[in-house]
Amino acid sequence: MQAFTLPEFYLPHPARMNPHLEAARAHSMAWAREMGMLDSPSPSGDVVWTAQALAKMDYALLCAHTHPDCDGPSLDLVTDWYVWVFFFDDDFLAQFKYTRDTEGAKAYLDRLELFMTGPGETSPEPGNPAEAGLENLWARTIPSMSEAWRRRFVTSTHNLMVESLWELDNIDRGRIANPIEYVQMRRRVGGAPWSANLIEFAVGAEVPDGIAATRPMEVLRDTFADAVHLRNDLFSYQREVREEGENSNAVLVFEKFLDCPTQEAAELTNDLLTSRLQQFENTALVEVPALLVERDVSLPEQIGVGLYVKGLQDWQSGGHEWHTRSSRYMNEGADSGANGTGLVQRVRQQAPPSFAKTGHLPLPEFRMPYPVRTSPHLAAAREYAPGWAREMGMLDGGVWDERRFRGIDLAYCAAMIDPDADLAGLKLSTDWLTWGTFGDDYFPLVFGAKRDAVAAKLCSDRLSLFMPLEGEPVPKPSNPIEVGLVDLWGRTAGPLSSLTRAGFRQAVESMTASWVWEVGNQAQNRVPDPVDYVEMRRRTFGSDLTKSLALLELGDVVPAELFRNRVLFELDTAAQDYAAFSNDLFSYQKEIEYEGETHNLVYVVERFLDVDRIEARDIAARLTNARMTQFEQLADEDLPRMCDDLGLGDDVRAAVARYADHLKDWMAGILEWHRKCVRYTPEELARVHAPEPPVFSLVPSGIGMSAWRIGSGAR
């Protein structure tokens, strides 16, 4: 009996079939036998695969559906890659997940990586079918692709192999991931980003390296990956959870996190799948064309990007069709896609009329295990801060007045998140917080109210001119954001190396671009997709900037690549989410009722799950506290183990420990600041948003556009 009834899927594009299917079936069977994958014994004595089992799983059918337009030799090669990756998954399960042999798993994976050779490198002699298959595939694939593609493919192949240890560790602990951790870790271990790389091979067109790391292309890849994984989790729940004892499955994650029946968790998983597909469509139709124009991408490269997008789309349709047919999955009653569920999600993504009366949102309990520490220089920073803000012009343009600025008390926040700084350092931290908070208020007021995403982008792009990397001349600043950035950049960037300075500028640009993203959603009257919201919230909150400031204090002791390690990556994002979600819980009334915003976790949950604000608050609070619990585990257990596994020296270990301590201070300080400052209190909101309407006037901004500025109605 199936664990649940499969939901109605959103799949707007029909699956198609590659005419070379039968040849690929014959080829892949012969190739698997040649590599030793058939009748290969597991530690229990049972074989991992038989020829009959491989035929029933029918990976050639998967590839013929997901790559309907490639030629026969290309389909053969792509099919061999999928035979290899599924064999690896099943073989790893048999050898290490059932036996809980973590040390053996690490040794196995370390050796397997040796077969992804770079130019001039030679792999060792294969010792098992997984190694033999990878060596063979590497030699047949890499010569026809660029070095940039090879680097991306190495990363995605590395992730799907090495992050299997995360799954193994969770099984060993009996631990089920929280939803945010699950989605982002599933991308690393699930293989869909790897599939996206193979799509470039199959369609014969690579994503231009110059735009591969931009938000639109990353969102295309990530939405593709999430949809592939969520669909797979629905079809594989019976086998993975009920039969094999796995706990890395979205249905199970939602079932446990929300304490709901399996059927309800499956429907929620499908709702998220639908939302991710619609985010893919929105990105492909809105953001990608704008990117191609902005970056002046050549016509042949534009055609290549179009083929890549079509290839991702074909994979979704073909992958669904294969799941409905393969013996590997629970697929009784599966349909071939429908649009009903998609219509419901589109309605939920359309924002209702703005400024709905919400009233004060009662605050939940916040988990905070770390003490608040405060700088002894707080009084001096408080005395200094208004003068700097006034000098930059931030207190006379209608965004802030001095009373409001003093009530926000950003010096207090800086004194807690940077308690060990000297007075000069605390002043600099206070000014960066002031600048970022002012910008976060400025963009919705000046551009969001008019839904003017073009003007917002022009403003954001111009800010880069005030962050020269090698002493280039800067234009005359024309508004408080530009004036403040000129001052801050001069005080911060001077002592930095060229590489560090470029990274720091990128962090600032990431934050300001995220403000443009918010204005763009307002222009579309769109409530963000939940996953996109969480990931962009880290940028809108300024987490990248805060992290960069912390890294400046560490110097060059910690290698940059170490922050791509799973443990530090998860530590970072868990802390960022805790701080940003806490802000959303405090600021709900301010943003929804008084500012007409939709960018708030409580509101996003409210719309996505179709629940009231109190239930949405409780779910948001549960997510917030789950991220703190995860942070504690990472800091207390996983971080020391990572240092041991990587053999890090004492100086690097000490720097990593200081960084973790900084994140603890950061989270504790941000929560305490929210509790003490008046910015979110009903009384202050009523004062700031007085009933008399503000007076608007147009003033030149100096950047080829006009911007709204509030005149006599300054708050």
Side-chain angles (χ1 to χ4, degrees):
M1 180 179 177
Q2 289 193 166
F4 55 83
T5 301
L6 286 166
E8 182 181 83
F9 290 91
Y10 173 69
L11 204 69
H13 307 287
R16 297 182 296 121
M17 177 67 72
N18 191 299
H20 304 291
L21 167 62
E22 291 305 326
R25 276 178 171 150
H27 170 86
S28 64
M29 182 66 72
W31 183 82
R33 181 174 289 109
E34 181 185 352
M35 296 300 110
M37 295 175 181
L38 303 183
D39 302 317
S40 175
S42 70
S44 66
D46 298 328
V47 298
V48 179
W49 280 358
T50 63
Q52 182 181 18
L54 177 58
K56 287 178 67 178
M57 290 182 284
D58 206 352
Y59 299 117
L61 179 65
L62 167 66
C63 295
H65 272 309
T66 55
H67 304 283
D69 298 321
C70 67
D71 60 25
S74 297
L75 182 63
D76 288 346
L77 180 52
V78 170
T79 302
D80 291 347
W81 271 112
Y82 279 89
V83 169
W84 176 82
V85 80
F86 278 99
F87 176 83
F88 163 77
D89 189 55
D90 288 352
D91 185 48
F92 190 84
L93 176 75
Q95 289 200 56
F96 306 112
K97 289 186 179 179
Y98 288 150
T99 62
R100 309 292 196 267
D101 181 8
T102 303
E103 291 305 313
K106 289 179 180 176
Y108 173 91
L109 294 171
D110 286 346
R111 179 173 160 83
L112 195 54
E113 289 220 33
L114 300 177
F115 293 87
M116 294 189 292
T117 54
E121 296 177 349
T122 303
S123 62
E125 188 69 23
N128 58 53
E131 293 176 356
L134 185 55
E135 180 188 54
N136 176 276
L137 291 166
W138 204 254
R140 293 162 58 197
T141 307
I142 297 305
S144 64
M145 306 301 288
S146 71
E147 177 62 20
W149 183 90
R150 188 191 72 82
R151 289 195 304 270
R152 297 200 302 270
F153 193 56
V154 166
T155 298
S156 58
T157 308
H158 165 90
N159 287 342
L160 73 85
M161 294 191 305
V162 172
E163 302 304 352
S164 299
L165 293 172
W166 172 77
E167 292 183 318
L168 183 59
D169 184 57
N170 280 341
I171 293 172
D172 196 42
R173 297 176 192 235
R175 176 182 180 272
I176 298 173
N178 63 70
I180 297 172
E181 174 194 9
Y182 178 75
V183 168
Q184 63 188 25
M185 282 305 300
R186 186 74 160 92
R187 287 180 195 159
R188 294 167 77 102
V189 74
W194 175 88
S195 294
N197 292 144
L198 283 177
I199 287 170
E200 294 179 68
F201 169 83
V203 301
E206 294 186 20
V207 174
D209 196 42
I211 64 169
T214 60
R215 169 187 150 81
M217 301 311 296
E218 288 184 342
V219 171
L220 281 184
R221 182 200 64 212
D222 291 345
T223 50
F224 166 80
D226 294 347
V228 168
H229 295 147
L230 292 166
R231 178 182 291 105
N232 177 264
D233 285 354
L234 285 161
F235 280 96
S236 64
Y237 178 92
Q238 182 85 23
R239 177 177 62 85
E240 291 181 345
V241 177
R242 295 290 175 87
E243 297 172 12
E244 296 177 351
E246 290 249 23
N247 58 13
S248 183
N249 184 288
V251 179
L252 180 65
V253 166
F254 288 125
E255 190 178 351
K256 298 303 181 185
F257 184 79
L258 296 175
D259 191 23
C260 64
T262 307
Q263 185 67 51
E264 185 179 332
E267 298 290 348
L268 177 57
T269 301
N270 187 51
D271 285 345
L272 187 57
L273 162 60
T274 301
S275 184
R276 295 308 277 156
L277 286 173
Q278 292 179 348
Q279 174 69 51
F280 175 92
E281 293 169 346
N282 186 271
T283 304
L285 295 174
V286 177
E287 295 189 53
V288 171
L291 172 70
L292 298 178
V293 172
E294 177 190 348
R295 296 297 180 91
D296 196 23
V297 175
S298 68
L299 181 58
E301 289 179 325
Q302 289 187 42
I303 294 171
V305 171
L307 290 172
Y308 172 67
V309 171
K310 180 176 177 294
L312 295 171
Q313 182 178 284
D314 284 335
W315 210 109
Q316 294 289 351
S317 302
H320 180 89
E321 188 69 18
W322 175 71
H323 276 82
T324 68
R325 296 169 181 263
S326 175
S327 67
R328 190 177 178 88
Y329 302 111
M330 174 190 89
N331 46 29
E332 181 182 329
D335 60 47
S336 294
N339 289 322
T341 183
L343 179 60
V344 171
Q345 281 304 320
R346 286 201 193 279
V347 170
R348 291 179 185 173
Q349 287 177 353
Q350 290 301 303
S354 302
F355 305 100
K357 294 293 182 183
T358 66
H360 174 66
L361 182 69
L363 291 169
E365 292 293 323
F366 291 91
R367 179 176 179 80
M368 175 44 69
Y370 305 117
V372 173
R373 300 193 302 127
T374 308
S375 168
H377 305 295
L378 170 58
R382 273 178 169 155
E383 183 179 354
Y384 155 83
W388 185 83
R390 190 182 306 110
E391 183 183 351
M392 299 302 110
M394 295 176 181
L395 304 185
D396 57 12
V399 179
W400 290 346
D401 58 20
E402 186 159 336
R403 177 179 172 182
R404 188 178 185 189
F405 176 73
R406 288 183 180 275
I408 294 174
D409 200 3
L410 293 164
Y412 182 46
C413 188
M416 291 183 289
I417 67 177
D418 200 4
D420 298 319
D422 59 19
L423 180 56
L426 184 59
K427 287 180 177 179
L428 184 61
S429 295
T430 300
D431 292 344
W432 273 114
L433 283 179
T434 299
W435 183 83
T437 307
F438 180 85
D440 193 41
D441 285 353
Y442 180 92
F443 266 68
L445 184 64
V446 174
F447 306 114
K450 298 189 301 175
R451 307 294 195 261
D452 195 345
V454 173
K457 188 172 190 319
L458 288 171
C459 181
S460 174
D461 289 349
R462 182 173 150 89
L463 292 176
S464 297
L465 301 176
F466 299 95
M467 297 183 285
L469 295 178
E470 301 298 338
E472 302 90 341
V474 301
K476 182 180 179 180
S478 60
N479 59 50
I481 297 182
E482 295 177 354
V483 174
L485 186 56
V486 169
D487 179 81
L488 287 168
W489 189 255
R491 293 157 59 194
T492 307
L496 305 181
S497 68
S498 297
L499 186 62
T500 305
R501 190 180 303 125
F504 187 67
R505 183 170 87 165
Q506 187 175 16
V508 178
E509 291 171 336
S510 173
M511 180 172 68
T512 64
S514 72
W515 299 339
V516 179
W517 170 80
E518 290 182 318
V519 175
N521 282 332
Q522 288 179 286
Q524 294 184 58
N525 195 40
R526 186 171 184 272
V527 180
D529 159 82
V531 177
D532 197 38
Y533 175 76
V534 168
E535 294 176 340
M536 288 300 292
R537 186 68 178 101
R538 297 166 190 162
R539 302 185 189 185
T540 62
F541 192 66
S543 301
D544 287 345
L545 176 59
T546 303
K547 174 183 174 181
S548 294
L549 287 169
L551 292 178
L552 295 182
E553 298 177 10
L554 296 182
D556 297 325
V557 176
V558 181
E561 61 269 16
L562 192 61
F563 285 92
R564 292 190 285 272
N565 180 279
R566 176 189 69 83
V567 175
L568 275 176
F569 174 77
E570 285 292 320
L571 192 81
D572 264 343
T573 57
Q576 292 170 18
D577 292 347
Y578 180 89
F581 297 171
S582 297
N583 175 269
D584 285 357
L585 285 156
F586 277 89
S587 65
Y588 178 84
Q589 183 183 19
K590 169 183 172 289
E591 293 176 342
I592 307 307
E593 179 175 335
Y594 286 101
E595 297 175 354
E597 269 281 6
T598 63
H599 298 94
N600 181 289
L601 179 65
V602 179
Y603 189 74
V604 169
V605 170
E606 196 177 332
R607 294 289 296 173
F608 178 72
L609 295 181
D610 193 23
V611 297
D612 64 34
R613 68 190 182 103
I614 299 301
E615 187 173 350
R617 174 207 64 185
D618 292 343
I619 293 170
R622 202 176 308 159
L623 281 168
T624 305
N625 292 330
R627 293 300 265 167
M628 175 57 77
T629 300
Q630 184 189 354
F631 180 92
E632 292 176 84
Q633 177 203 304
L634 289 160
D636 296 344
E637 301 175 28
D638 294 11
L639 201 59
R641 187 168 59 184
M642 179 199 79
C643 292
D644 290 340
D645 289 344
L646 298 177
L648 300 180
D650 291 343
D651 55 343
V652 179
R653 286 172 183 262
V656 167
R658 287 200 307 275
Y659 182 69
D661 288 341
H662 165 77
L663 292 177
K664 295 172 187 177
D665 286 333
W666 187 65
M667 291 186 290
I670 285 173
L671 180 61
E672 184 67 10
W673 174 75
H674 278 87
R675 285 172 166 161
K676 295 292 176 63
C677 84
V678 302
R679 181 174 168 86
Y680 308 105
T681 63
E683 296 78 16
E684 177 70 0
L685 291 172
R687 185 193 76 81
V688 169
H689 299 274
E692 62 270 19
V695 178
F696 291 94
S697 61
L698 283 173
V699 298
S701 69
I703 55 174
M705 62 172 185
S706 293
W708 288 106
R709 183 174 179 179
I710 299 180
S712 59
R715 299 193 293 265

